[in-house]
Amino acid sequence: MSDRIPMTRIGYDKLKADLEQLHTVELPKILQRLADARAEGDLTENAEYLGAQESRAMMEARINVIRDKLSRAVLIDPSQMPKGEVCFGSTVRVRDLDFKDEEEFVLVGAGEEDYDAGKILFTSPLAQGLVGKKVGDKVEIEVPQGTLRFEILEIRLDTDGE
């Protein structure tokens, strides 16, 4: 996969800090558990050893995923994005045309997503369905759960890094 991953400097730095934490703190703890379990002798029926091996494999997988994201990162400056249309870094207020309620989404890069706070990945199907739209546009977005129908009510571009 050579797809580039858009992210802000904040998201990039957060992922880099997460990687450092996993690599220098969490992984050594697991490796110590592994060494302690290995010292107990017979490894074939040593549940602690098998658990530590599984933890190590999962940790190394997480580290590799973060390394991959960082290697494919493209740093984006939200202040350089087009005004008046949904783009990377936009805060978009929409009305759900089926349920008549309003929702707000912020289109963010990897490392900044927080779905509970409405921060969705720019590369997600929902965000990609909103990109390029303007206030007043009505959109239909196919997602795994079905079709979402929105009207764009407001677009803000917060350029203070938040």
Side-chain angles (χ1 to χ4, degrees), residues 25-124:
V25 176
E26 301 301 325
L27 187 58
K29 286 181 189 175
I30 292 170
L31 293 176
Q32 184 59 51
R33 274 183 47 212
L34 202 54
D36 292 346
R38 190 178 293 127
E40 291 178 14
D42 184 16
L43 301 180
T44 58
E45 295 182 20
N46 186 330
E48 180 59 30
Y49 178 77
L50 296 175
Q53 264 190 325
E54 186 175 315
S55 294
R56 186 193 81 215
M58 289 189 311
M59 181 65 61
E60 288 174 350
R62 284 179 59 197
I63 288 170
N64 288 334
V65 166
I66 294 172
R67 280 185 179 149
D68 177 60
K69 284 181 182 180
L70 290 172
S71 73
R72 296 187 296 132
V74 175
L75 295 180
I76 305 287
D77 180 357
S79 68
Q80 302 300 311
M81 295 288 99
K83 310 290 186 250
E85 68 182 53
V86 179
C87 60
F88 182 87
S90 294
T91 299
V92 186
R93 191 166 51 88
V94 298
R95 176 180 297 116
D96 186 309
L97 297 174
D98 295 320
F99 297 103
K100 306 300 182 209
D101 59 341
E102 291 184 12
E103 297 180 63
E104 190 167 275
F105 304 108
V106 183
L107 281 57
V108 299
E112 297 177 88
E113 65 270 24
D114 179 352
Y115 297 100
D116 293 334
K119 293 182 175 187
I120 62 173
L121 277 174
F122 178 74
T123 54
S124 71

Side-chain angles (χ1 to χ4, degrees), residues 44 148 157:
T44 58
L148 301 174
L157 192 58

